[in-house]
Amino acid sequence: MVAPALLERIVIPYDRLLRRGAVRRGVVASASEHGVVLAGGEAIEADVVIVATGSRYAEPFKPDGDSAAAFNGSIRAAHATLRAADNVAIVGGGAVGVELAGEISTAFPNKSVTLVSNAPALMPGYSAKFSRALQTQLRRKGVQLRLDTRVETLAHRERPHAGILGNDAGDEPRHLIFPALGAQPVTALFREMVGARFDRQGRVIVDGWLRPAGLSRLFSLGDAAATGDPMTIVAITRQAPWLAKTINALLAGRRIESLAPYKPWPARGILVPLGPQDGASMLPILGRGWFAGRWATALIKGRELFIPRYLKEFGYDK
């Protein structure tokens, strides 16, 4: 949204993704441990099924639909609106809101950027040191932080829009407002399964081997599943290798209950760049997590945003 030229590198086709197998594009109407049924009625049988439907977020942060062209269009439209705005307000003090404030204030230092959070500190749930580092860097970039402040009314919770912040934020000029109120798990497939249960976030509850609804060969991971991890890419770096190893053992004839159950990271890990040179991170090591500052965050994520990694994984690095 800040640098739309990145779209040429981050919207990656799936046609080189699998060395063995094929990618099918379609809508799944139902899933069981024996396979899936597509919306058109076609059944695809399977020995193992993994449901990784992820989460949705307000526009334009995640695609709303399955069209790459529509996603590109929404990003470019948001960029044009952003360029034209003098005052920008971001509602939400989690990772998306904080990172967006950092990116906008870096790319457009002359814009007025306000970040509003109803929590007393940014990134609730993480260490005070981590929160203070992000707050200090954002203030140095000129971002106005309004913490412990609730915006009672938003004209739109699902997309950026022009408006005022509302009751508790004081008298405000009109802003371009970006709602960054958190991810919502996509769990429609699970809600059709007998015995499926859900946690307070709406994520499907899984057993120790990431299986929901008492099923034996249907697994779930990522944002849709209550794995014990937060909804972050750091969580997937632990879940996916564990699940691949477990399924290989299952297909080789091992009883899954004889295998070690999944254990989340010992600490909540997250990477929050504030532009290509700034930011802070919590790495999920050493019990309570290890704080990483600006230099390490830029090296791990901020400079390249994992783009070379995913180009390689999708077969588009050459």
Side-chain angles (χ1 to χ4, degrees), residues 82-315:
L82 173 62
R83 287 188 66 90
D86 293 323
N87 303 304
V88 177
I90 300 160
V91 180
V96 172
V98 170
E99 191 167 341
L100 180 62
E103 294 287 352
I104 292 175
S105 59
T106 299
F108 302 103
N110 294 325
K111 293 187 185 298
S112 171
V113 180
T114 301
L115 177 61
V116 184
S117 175
N118 63 3
L122 297 180
M123 300 296 300
Y126 292 89
S127 74
K129 180 179 181 180
F130 176 58
S131 178
R132 286 195 301 269
L134 292 169
Q135 290 171 193
T136 297
Q137 292 180 54
L138 285 175
R139 288 191 172 109
R140 286 175 180 167
K141 290 173 174 291
V143 177
Q144 302 175 55
L145 300 182
R146 300 215 173 157
L147 304 177
D148 213 6
T149 301
R150 181 174 296 277
V151 177
E152 297 291 349
T153 303
L154 283 176
H156 301 285
R157 297 176 66 87
E158 300 297 329
R159 63 179 186 272
H161 59 279
I164 58 174
L165 292 175
N167 298 351
D168 292 353
D171 295 329
E172 291 285 347
R174 287 181 68 81
H175 288 80
L176 172 61
I177 299 174
F178 288 96
L181 301 174
Q184 300 297 317
V186 177
T187 56
L189 283 176
F190 299 110
R191 295 187 182 277
E192 301 299 320
M193 297 178 187
V194 177
R197 297 181 299 121
F198 302 86
D199 70 2
R200 295 178 62 182
Q201 288 183 289
R203 305 169 87 183
V204 68
I205 294 173
V206 294
D207 68 8
W209 295 271
L210 304 189
R211 301 175 300 179
L215 298 171
S216 62
R217 289 195 169 216
L218 185 144
F219 300 85
S220 182
L221 77 168
D223 288 2
T227 59
D229 290 309
M231 298 186 200
T232 63
I233 191 65
V234 177
I236 290 296
T237 65
R238 188 172 181 89
Q239 294 171 24
W242 177 91
L243 185 55
K245 181 179 178 180
T246 298
I247 290 173
N248 280 333
L250 178 65
L251 295 178
R254 295 280 301 276
R255 286 182 61 254
I256 195 166
E257 290 78 7
S258 70
L259 304 172
Y262 176 74
K263 292 184 179 180
W265 285 110
R268 291 162 61 93
I270 197 161
L271 305 162
V272 185
L274 303 176
Q277 302 297 330
D278 298 302
S281 301
M282 290 298 299
L283 303 183
I285 57 176
L286 302 180
R288 295 185 179 181
W290 184 71
F291 172 81
R294 295 171 57 245
W295 180 84
T297 301
L299 182 65
I300 298 170
K301 181 181 178 184
R303 295 175 187 170
E304 296 287 353
L305 302 173
F306 297 136
I307 294 172
R309 167 187 168 180
Y310 288 110
L311 287 170
K312 182 177 181 180
E313 290 191 5
F314 279 70

Side-chain angles (χ1 to χ4, degrees), residues 51-64:
V51 180
T53 42
S55 61
R56 61 172 56 91
Y57 211 101
E59 294 182 24
F61 300 106
K62 285 191 173 185
D64 183 19

